[in-house]
Amino acid sequence: MGFYHFLSLGIILFAIGVVGFVIRNNTIVLLLSVELMLNSVNLIFVAFSRYLYGTEGQIYVFIIMTIAAAEVAVGLAIVVSIYRLFGTLDISKIKLLKG
Amino acid sequence: MIEQAVFWMLGAVMIVGALGVILLPNTINSVMLLLLSMLALAGIYVLMGAHVVALFQIIIYIGAVLVLFIYVIMLLNLKEQGLKLPMQTFTYIISGFSLGLLVVVVWLFWQSLWGTTFTGGAGNLKASATVHQLAVDLFSQHILIFELTSVLLLVAAIGAIIISKK
Amino acid sequence: MLFKAIYLLPLLPAIGVLINGLLGKRFGEKTVAFVACTSVGLSLILAIGILHQMLIASPAERVITSSLYRWISDGSLQINVGFLIDPLAIAMIMVILFVGFIIHFYSIGYMEGEPGYRRFFVHLNLFIFFMLILVMGDNLILTFVGWEGVGLCSYLLIGHWYEKKSASDAGRKAFVVNRVGDFGFMLGIFLVIVTFNTVNFVELKTILAGNHGIPTVTLAIISLLLFTGAVGKSAQFPLHVWLPDAMEGPTPVSALIHAATMVNAGVYFMCRIFPFLQQSQFVLPIIALVGMITAVYAACCAVGQKDIKKVLAYSTISQIGYMFMAVGCGIYVAGMFHLVAHGIFKGLLFLGSGAVIHAVKGEQDIVNMGGLIKTIPVTAITFLIGLLALAGIFPMVGFFSKDAIIMGGYETYGIVYWLFGFGGAILTALYCGKLFGMAFLGESNFTGHVHKPNFFFKAPLVILAVCAVFLGILGIPMFTKNTYFAQFMGSSFNLGAGGHAAAGHGIPLSLEIAFTLILSVFAIAAIVLALFMYSKHRKTMVDFESRHKGLMMFLLKGFWIDKLYDTIWVRPLKWISFYSDSVCDHRIVDGAVNGTGKIAMEVGKTLSRMQTGYVRYYAVSIVFGVFVLVGITMMFLF
């Protein structure tokens, strides 16, 4: 069990997040996928922090967690207002940005 | 030996949980599986000796973020929607790319990092990564970024209130 | 100590501007006038106090500097907002504030009931503010700020009645012609900065007094460039064309700006930078030459004018020419004395002409006046005093000041200059006599009721007339370099060696008295002759003028110089502008601009099809970008 294992775990988690973000229609699940990706990055940061015996990696993890919390707060607020506006959370039905 | 066993178990739980998050039709189940996945992740942090991170992982993610998700799901009273996957070409392409990336990166790690082990476990921590050192660094070197984050949180809180206001 | 409060001098008029300009919308005419006059009046009282303190101080203590704050800081070049007051400056300040206050007072009556009453007073106060900045600035840049500020106010006030096309055109002309001079001025400042790395007058003087090792050519170029600015501002030949047209403005403006203060700023500035002018041999002769040409030329033109204000305008140009002559002869104390004297009597003349114009309901042509002495005696008498001072008749102030200049010309450059100065003085006496004879004596050509001037008209005229008579005291003892005025000015900070003592050989006292007597006798003869001819035998003179129509037109139009400029500058410029508009702008520039717009629009239209509106597509493109980035990174890694 070495550095390599942890990194690979992080990559796998990230890939799952990406695929989830692309294939799902439910907005809440999209946010969950984003959380997955953020977590994978956290994992890699901590692994590097461990590998290099430094504190920076873990400090960044704290920052990322804070940002993730902020992102979720705003994201869920948007989800609520989307639901109010469109009556659905299916993003394939929401296309106001169409040029 | 025990550590290795724990690692493989936790890793398996985490990956399965993550797959469940993106593949289960019911949203509430996804959230619950994400919770499971994050608990496993916290365990992995402990394996690496990052106890504080593990603690925060549980407190912030599971205690706050996921509860927020569940709360929103209850608020909106979402019905089961079924797993309608958009079977379009680009989803295959992206999934393929992701898997390709996965394989390539894992292979690269294999090539370059195989054998660079670090001795896990709390017993082998060096002084530089202890909680004490972490706190000192966070509140001296990184104090600006720390304060800025608090401002960001405040802004996000206000923003969330304004966005969700009718 | 009043010396510490000198920054209040410009501040008070500025406060007046702010009060009237920002809050004055609801004020009545009386309040506006009160605020404007009070601000200038307080400033005047302060200036008198400072003058008093300066007079009792010892000569060494008469130079006051006060630095308010650092304005521009660029490496070793430091520019402060600071003020410098010495006898030279206080003389100018007294003219500005004294004449300025009187003209403010006069304007209360003159502008009564005019639309734009508040605007007028705001601009007038603003002008006083900028003029004080110009005079008091202790460095070239601050002086330049004031310089441009008074130019702006001059433009605004000439065009006060902007509905009249000729007025707005005249304002624009003044502005454009001044730009030519100011361009030289700015180049001069840049050259000073490059050469000396400072713009402070005191520091510049210190450098110039020492062994500086700067090439004389550079100093001469600086002097001439700065002189160009002075030529533009002071309406000297060949940049004088704007001043006669500037008479379109209200008469108090003509009196304040275009006679007493702003146009003299060039002379003042030349005195201020006199250490520069002394450095090379050929700068002073050039200045003297320009002054002499202007003095004689403008006097010729003034003889041919019909408009009462234009006579005075050309006479102003001519008198400022004399001042420049004094500077060019190195006796700028005499120039400053003439400046003060001229400020008084020309202010008086313009105010008098304003009273006349007011009395005859806007008629400005002196041919249509006549006999006014019977109806408006106070105006007539004070006007006569002003004209006598202008013509340099004993014992008016003009006698002392002009005589010193003409004698200085003889001392420095010989008999030719004296002859030209003499000729100019005779012409001056001629048009003075003609003006008074046509307007006030003889038969009345004006049909209609003549307005009597009220208190607001009479009081300023009387005060200024008294000053014009008694200010000559400053010019005694005559024929020496030690007149009272020169004694006071002698302690100005940049006088040093030159200044009031002419560099020449010195001439015997008897010869000097003889020359003065000749000048006086001829001037008196000329003015009496003109008075007599134009009052008693006006018909003969009018016939004479109509027979020599070409000559009179030549004089009236100022030697056709306007037409010359129109041909060589204005028309080619117009043609180039027209060409630029029709070809360059419409075809090339517009084509390029519209073409860019069209291209952007087409590209946008094409690209907008990629905007499907599905969030997923955007996410996919982000992911794709990440793949590309990772791929590139890997290519470099392995």
PDB file of all heavy atoms in Angstrom, chain B residues 122-148:
ATOM      1  N   ALA B 122      -0.719   6.272  12.100  1.00  0.00           N
ATOM      2  CA  ALA B 122      -0.531   7.457  12.919  1.00  0.00           C
ATOM      3  C   ALA B 122       0.813   7.455  13.607  1.00  0.00           C
ATOM      4  O   ALA B 122       1.394   8.488  13.883  1.00  0.00           O
ATOM      5  CB  ALA B 122      -1.630   7.539  13.965  1.00  0.00           C
ATOM      6  N   GLY B 123       1.342   6.279  13.833  1.00  0.00           N
ATOM      7  CA  GLY B 123       2.596   6.178  14.568  1.00  0.00           C
ATOM      8  C   GLY B 123       3.775   6.749  13.812  1.00  0.00           C
ATOM      9  O   GLY B 123       4.761   7.147  14.416  1.00  0.00           O
ATOM     10  N   ASN B 124       3.655   6.783  12.469  1.00  0.00           N
ATOM     11  CA  ASN B 124       4.805   7.212  11.686  1.00  0.00           C
ATOM     12  C   ASN B 124       4.748   8.671  11.247  1.00  0.00           C
ATOM     13  O   ASN B 124       5.498   9.091  10.379  1.00  0.00           O
ATOM     14  CB  ASN B 124       4.940   6.336  10.453  1.00  0.00           C
ATOM     15  CG  ASN B 124       5.377   4.949  10.846  1.00  0.00           C
ATOM     16  OD1 ASN B 124       6.214   4.803  11.732  1.00  0.00           O
ATOM     17  ND2 ASN B 124       4.784   3.952  10.233  1.00  0.00           N
ATOM     18  N   LEU B 125       3.833   9.414  11.809  1.00  0.00           N
ATOM     19  CA  LEU B 125       3.731  10.822  11.420  1.00  0.00           C
ATOM     20  C   LEU B 125       4.987  11.584  11.793  1.00  0.00           C
ATOM     21  O   LEU B 125       5.548  11.380  12.858  1.00  0.00           O
ATOM     22  CB  LEU B 125       2.544  11.475  12.130  1.00  0.00           C
ATOM     23  CG  LEU B 125       1.182  11.254  11.493  1.00  0.00           C
ATOM     24  CD1 LEU B 125       0.139  11.915  12.349  1.00  0.00           C
ATOM     25  CD2 LEU B 125       1.172  11.803  10.101  1.00  0.00           C
ATOM     26  N   LYS B 126       5.379  12.476  10.888  1.00  0.00           N
ATOM     27  CA  LYS B 126       6.471  13.367  11.259  1.00  0.00           C
ATOM     28  C   LYS B 126       5.897  14.615  11.909  1.00  0.00           C
ATOM     29  O   LYS B 126       4.714  14.937  11.775  1.00  0.00           O
ATOM     30  CB  LYS B 126       7.266  13.764  10.013  1.00  0.00           C
ATOM     31  CG  LYS B 126       8.300  12.722   9.644  1.00  0.00           C
ATOM     32  CD  LYS B 126       9.415  13.375   8.863  1.00  0.00           C
ATOM     33  CE  LYS B 126      10.535  12.361   8.639  1.00  0.00           C
ATOM     34  NZ  LYS B 126      11.573  12.913   7.779  1.00  0.00           N
ATOM     35  N   ALA B 127       6.750  15.379  12.533  1.00  0.00           N
ATOM     36  CA  ALA B 127       6.266  16.534  13.280  1.00  0.00           C
ATOM     37  C   ALA B 127       5.588  17.548  12.381  1.00  0.00           C
ATOM     38  O   ALA B 127       4.666  18.239  12.792  1.00  0.00           O
ATOM     39  CB  ALA B 127       7.432  17.172  14.013  1.00  0.00           C
ATOM     40  N   SER B 128       6.057  17.599  11.115  1.00  0.00           N
ATOM     41  CA  SER B 128       5.556  18.657  10.243  1.00  0.00           C
ATOM     42  C   SER B 128       4.094  18.495   9.915  1.00  0.00           C
ATOM     43  O   SER B 128       3.462  19.428   9.451  1.00  0.00           O
ATOM     44  CB  SER B 128       6.372  18.690   8.956  1.00  0.00           C
ATOM     45  OG  SER B 128       6.202  17.469   8.297  1.00  0.00           O
ATOM     46  N   ALA B 129       3.519  17.334  10.106  1.00  0.00           N
ATOM     47  CA  ALA B 129       2.130  17.156   9.726  1.00  0.00           C
ATOM     48  C   ALA B 129       1.219  16.982  10.935  1.00  0.00           C
ATOM     49  O   ALA B 129       0.096  16.552  10.806  1.00  0.00           O
ATOM     50  CB  ALA B 129       2.004  15.950   8.802  1.00  0.00           C
ATOM     51  N   THR B 130       1.714  17.285  12.107  1.00  0.00           N
ATOM     52  CA  THR B 130       0.852  17.143  13.277  1.00  0.00           C
ATOM     53  C   THR B 130      -0.185  18.246  13.317  1.00  0.00           C
ATOM     54  O   THR B 130      -0.080  19.253  12.623  1.00  0.00           O
ATOM     55  CB  THR B 130       1.673  17.203  14.569  1.00  0.00           C
ATOM     56  OG1 THR B 130       2.387  18.437  14.561  1.00  0.00           O
ATOM     57  CG2 THR B 130       2.624  16.066  14.672  1.00  0.00           C
ATOM     58  N   VAL B 131      -1.194  18.042  14.147  1.00  0.00           N
ATOM     59  CA  VAL B 131      -2.264  19.027  14.276  1.00  0.00           C
ATOM     60  C   VAL B 131      -1.701  20.366  14.714  1.00  0.00           C
ATOM     61  O   VAL B 131      -2.079  21.422  14.210  1.00  0.00           O
ATOM     62  CB  VAL B 131      -3.295  18.531  15.291  1.00  0.00           C
ATOM     63  CG1 VAL B 131      -4.421  19.527  15.388  1.00  0.00           C
ATOM     64  CG2 VAL B 131      -3.797  17.174  14.908  1.00  0.00           C
ATOM     65  N   HIS B 132      -0.760  20.286  15.643  1.00  0.00           N
ATOM     66  CA  HIS B 132      -0.168  21.531  16.141  1.00  0.00           C
ATOM     67  C   HIS B 132       0.463  22.335  15.020  1.00  0.00           C
ATOM     68  O   HIS B 132       0.202  23.524  14.826  1.00  0.00           O
ATOM     69  CB  HIS B 132       0.878  21.183  17.219  1.00  0.00           C
ATOM     70  CG  HIS B 132       1.627  22.375  17.698  1.00  0.00           C
ATOM     71  ND1 HIS B 132       2.931  22.620  17.342  1.00  0.00           N
ATOM     72  CD2 HIS B 132       1.255  23.406  18.479  1.00  0.00           C
ATOM     73  CE1 HIS B 132       3.326  23.746  17.884  1.00  0.00           C
ATOM     74  NE2 HIS B 132       2.309  24.238  18.607  1.00  0.00           N
ATOM     75  N   GLN B 133       1.291  21.627  14.241  1.00  0.00           N
ATOM     76  CA  GLN B 133       1.986  22.297  13.149  1.00  0.00           C
ATOM     77  C   GLN B 133       0.988  22.841  12.132  1.00  0.00           C
ATOM     78  O   GLN B 133       1.133  23.948  11.591  1.00  0.00           O
ATOM     79  CB  GLN B 133       2.956  21.321  12.491  1.00  0.00           C
ATOM     80  CG  GLN B 133       3.920  21.975  11.540  1.00  0.00           C
ATOM     81  CD  GLN B 133       4.766  23.013  12.255  1.00  0.00           C
ATOM     82  OE1 GLN B 133       5.127  22.837  13.417  1.00  0.00           O
ATOM     83  NE2 GLN B 133       5.058  24.098  11.574  1.00  0.00           N
ATOM     84  N   LEU B 134      -0.042  22.050  11.874  1.00  0.00           N
ATOM     85  CA  LEU B 134      -1.072  22.439  10.927  1.00  0.00           C
ATOM     86  C   LEU B 134      -1.727  23.750  11.364  1.00  0.00           C
ATOM     87  O   LEU B 134      -1.887  24.688  10.576  1.00  0.00           O
ATOM     88  CB  LEU B 134      -2.121  21.326  10.882  1.00  0.00           C
ATOM     89  CG  LEU B 134      -2.968  21.214   9.640  1.00  0.00           C
ATOM     90  CD1 LEU B 134      -2.095  20.900   8.455  1.00  0.00           C
ATOM     91  CD2 LEU B 134      -3.985  20.117   9.832  1.00  0.00           C
ATOM     92  N   ALA B 135      -2.075  23.800  12.646  1.00  0.00           N
ATOM     93  CA  ALA B 135      -2.739  25.000  13.155  1.00  0.00           C
ATOM     94  C   ALA B 135      -1.815  26.203  13.063  1.00  0.00           C
ATOM     95  O   ALA B 135      -2.225  27.289  12.640  1.00  0.00           O
ATOM     96  CB  ALA B 135      -3.163  24.768  14.605  1.00  0.00           C
ATOM     97  N   VAL B 136      -0.546  25.989  13.447  1.00  0.00           N
ATOM     98  CA  VAL B 136       0.400  27.113  13.388  1.00  0.00           C
ATOM     99  C   VAL B 136       0.526  27.634  11.968  1.00  0.00           C
ATOM    100  O   VAL B 136       0.455  28.842  11.710  1.00  0.00           O
ATOM    101  CB  VAL B 136       1.765  26.655  13.934  1.00  0.00           C
ATOM    102  CG1 VAL B 136       2.817  27.712  13.627  1.00  0.00           C
ATOM    103  CG2 VAL B 136       1.678  26.409  15.424  1.00  0.00           C
ATOM    104  N   ASP B 137       0.661  26.691  11.008  1.00  0.00           N
ATOM    105  CA  ASP B 137       0.815  27.125   9.609  1.00  0.00           C
ATOM    106  C   ASP B 137      -0.430  27.828   9.108  1.00  0.00           C
ATOM    107  O   ASP B 137      -0.361  28.857   8.429  1.00  0.00           O
ATOM    108  CB  ASP B 137       1.117  25.914   8.720  1.00  0.00           C
ATOM    109  CG  ASP B 137       2.586  25.564   8.779  1.00  0.00           C
ATOM    110  OD1 ASP B 137       3.283  26.193   9.605  1.00  0.00           O
ATOM    111  OD2 ASP B 137       3.021  24.692   8.027  1.00  0.00           O
ATOM    112  N   LEU B 138      -1.588  27.249   9.456  1.00  0.00           N
ATOM    113  CA  LEU B 138      -2.841  27.825   8.941  1.00  0.00           C
ATOM    114  C   LEU B 138      -3.025  29.244   9.438  1.00  0.00           C
ATOM    115  O   LEU B 138      -3.452  30.128   8.680  1.00  0.00           O
ATOM    116  CB  LEU B 138      -4.018  26.942   9.391  1.00  0.00           C
ATOM    117  CG  LEU B 138      -5.398  27.402   8.917  1.00  0.00           C
ATOM    118  CD1 LEU B 138      -5.451  27.412   7.405  1.00  0.00           C
ATOM    119  CD2 LEU B 138      -6.467  26.487   9.462  1.00  0.00           C
ATOM    120  N   PHE B 139      -2.661  29.500  10.684  1.00  0.00           N
ATOM    121  CA  PHE B 139      -2.923  30.830  11.229  1.00  0.00           C
ATOM    122  C   PHE B 139      -1.731  31.763  11.153  1.00  0.00           C
ATOM    123  O   PHE B 139      -1.784  32.860  11.678  1.00  0.00           O
ATOM    124  CB  PHE B 139      -3.405  30.716  12.671  1.00  0.00           C
ATOM    125  CG  PHE B 139      -4.766  30.096  12.757  1.00  0.00           C
ATOM    126  CD1 PHE B 139      -4.943  28.827  13.257  1.00  0.00           C
ATOM    127  CD2 PHE B 139      -5.868  30.786  12.264  1.00  0.00           C
ATOM    128  CE1 PHE B 139      -6.182  28.253  13.310  1.00  0.00           C
ATOM    129  CE2 PHE B 139      -7.117  30.209  12.313  1.00  0.00           C
ATOM    130  CZ  PHE B 139      -7.274  28.937  12.824  1.00  0.00           C
ATOM    131  N   SER B 140      -0.645  31.321  10.530  1.00  0.00           N
ATOM    132  CA  SER B 140       0.435  32.284  10.323  1.00  0.00           C
ATOM    133  C   SER B 140       0.684  32.511   8.842  1.00  0.00           C
ATOM    134  O   SER B 140       0.395  33.579   8.311  1.00  0.00           O
ATOM    135  CB  SER B 140       1.704  31.794  11.018  1.00  0.00           C
ATOM    136  OG  SER B 140       2.081  30.546  10.492  1.00  0.00           O
ATOM    137  N   GLN B 141       1.146  31.441   8.151  1.00  0.00           N
ATOM    138  CA  GLN B 141       1.480  31.621   6.733  1.00  0.00           C
ATOM    139  C   GLN B 141       0.243  31.857   5.884  1.00  0.00           C
ATOM    140  O   GLN B 141       0.264  32.629   4.944  1.00  0.00           O
ATOM    141  CB  GLN B 141       2.180  30.363   6.222  1.00  0.00           C
ATOM    142  CG  GLN B 141       3.674  30.398   6.396  1.00  0.00           C
ATOM    143  CD  GLN B 141       4.274  29.101   5.894  1.00  0.00           C
ATOM    144  OE1 GLN B 141       3.844  28.023   6.278  1.00  0.00           O
ATOM    145  NE2 GLN B 141       5.235  29.214   5.028  1.00  0.00           N
ATOM    146  N   HIS B 142      -0.821  31.123   6.218  1.00  0.00           N
ATOM    147  CA  HIS B 142      -1.976  31.135   5.329  1.00  0.00           C
ATOM    148  C   HIS B 142      -3.126  31.926   5.900  1.00  0.00           C
ATOM    149  O   HIS B 142      -4.275  31.701   5.552  1.00  0.00           O
ATOM    150  CB  HIS B 142      -2.417  29.703   5.053  1.00  0.00           C
ATOM    151  CG  HIS B 142      -1.316  28.861   4.480  1.00  0.00           C
ATOM    152  ND1 HIS B 142      -0.986  28.899   3.157  1.00  0.00           N
ATOM    153  CD2 HIS B 142      -0.455  28.008   5.062  1.00  0.00           C
ATOM    154  CE1 HIS B 142       0.034  28.091   2.935  1.00  0.00           C
ATOM    155  NE2 HIS B 142       0.373  27.530   4.078  1.00  0.00           N
ATOM    156  N   ILE B 143      -2.802  32.883   6.761  1.00  0.00           N
ATOM    157  CA  ILE B 143      -3.887  33.590   7.446  1.00  0.00           C
ATOM    158  C   ILE B 143      -4.731  34.391   6.470  1.00  0.00           C
ATOM    159  O   ILE B 143      -5.958  34.464   6.582  1.00  0.00           O
ATOM    160  CB  ILE B 143      -3.292  34.482   8.557  1.00  0.00           C
ATOM    161  CG1 ILE B 143      -4.387  35.156   9.367  1.00  0.00           C
ATOM    162  CG2 ILE B 143      -2.376  35.538   7.992  1.00  0.00           C
ATOM    163  CD1 ILE B 143      -5.132  34.208  10.240  1.00  0.00           C
ATOM    164  N   LEU B 144      -4.058  34.967   5.439  1.00  0.00           N
ATOM    165  CA  LEU B 144      -4.802  35.786   4.483  1.00  0.00           C
ATOM    166  C   LEU B 144      -5.832  34.956   3.743  1.00  0.00           C
ATOM    167  O   LEU B 144      -7.010  35.299   3.647  1.00  0.00           O
ATOM    168  CB  LEU B 144      -3.833  36.425   3.495  1.00  0.00           C
ATOM    169  CG  LEU B 144      -4.506  37.231   2.403  1.00  0.00           C
ATOM    170  CD1 LEU B 144      -5.143  38.475   2.998  1.00  0.00           C
ATOM    171  CD2 LEU B 144      -3.533  37.625   1.316  1.00  0.00           C
ATOM    172  N   ILE B 145      -5.382  33.809   3.257  1.00  0.00           N
ATOM    173  CA  ILE B 145      -6.268  32.946   2.485  1.00  0.00           C
ATOM    174  C   ILE B 145      -7.401  32.450   3.379  1.00  0.00           C
ATOM    175  O   ILE B 145      -8.566  32.371   2.970  1.00  0.00           O
ATOM    176  CB  ILE B 145      -5.426  31.791   1.900  1.00  0.00           C
ATOM    177  CG1 ILE B 145      -6.112  31.202   0.686  1.00  0.00           C
ATOM    178  CG2 ILE B 145      -5.159  30.710   2.869  1.00  0.00           C
ATOM    179  CD1 ILE B 145      -5.206  30.244  -0.022  1.00  0.00           C
ATOM    180  N   PHE B 146      -7.074  32.222   4.641  1.00  0.00           N
ATOM    181  CA  PHE B 146      -8.070  31.783   5.601  1.00  0.00           C
ATOM    182  C   PHE B 146      -9.158  32.841   5.796  1.00  0.00           C
ATOM    183  O   PHE B 146     -10.357  32.564   5.726  1.00  0.00           O
ATOM    184  CB  PHE B 146      -7.352  31.501   6.927  1.00  0.00           C
ATOM    185  CG  PHE B 146      -8.258  31.096   8.051  1.00  0.00           C
ATOM    186  CD1 PHE B 146      -8.763  29.811   8.118  1.00  0.00           C
ATOM    187  CD2 PHE B 146      -8.588  32.001   9.032  1.00  0.00           C
ATOM    188  CE1 PHE B 146      -9.589  29.445   9.158  1.00  0.00           C
ATOM    189  CE2 PHE B 146      -9.413  31.633  10.069  1.00  0.00           C
ATOM    190  CZ  PHE B 146      -9.918  30.356  10.126  1.00  0.00           C
ATOM    191  N   GLU B 147      -8.704  34.082   5.967  1.00  0.00           N
ATOM    192  CA  GLU B 147      -9.661  35.171   6.162  1.00  0.00           C
ATOM    193  C   GLU B 147     -10.497  35.384   4.921  1.00  0.00           C
ATOM    194  O   GLU B 147     -11.701  35.625   4.987  1.00  0.00           O
ATOM    195  CB  GLU B 147      -8.928  36.455   6.538  1.00  0.00           C
ATOM    196  CG  GLU B 147      -8.229  36.412   7.873  1.00  0.00           C
ATOM    197  CD  GLU B 147      -9.205  36.263   9.019  1.00  0.00           C
ATOM    198  OE1 GLU B 147     -10.394  36.569   8.825  1.00  0.00           O
ATOM    199  OE2 GLU B 147      -8.781  35.825  10.105  1.00  0.00           O
ATOM    200  N   LEU B 148      -9.830  35.305   3.766  1.00  0.00           N
ATOM    201  CA  LEU B 148     -10.554  35.487   2.512  1.00  0.00           C
ATOM    202  C   LEU B 148     -11.644  34.440   2.373  1.00  0.00           C
ATOM    203  O   LEU B 148     -12.747  34.719   1.910  1.00  0.00           O
ATOM    204  CB  LEU B 148      -9.592  35.411   1.329  1.00  0.00           C
ATOM    205  CG  LEU B 148      -8.741  36.646   1.082  1.00  0.00           C
ATOM    206  CD1 LEU B 148      -7.806  36.407  -0.081  1.00  0.00           C
ATOM    207  CD2 LEU B 148      -9.643  37.833   0.786  1.00  0.00           C
TER     208      LEU B 148
END
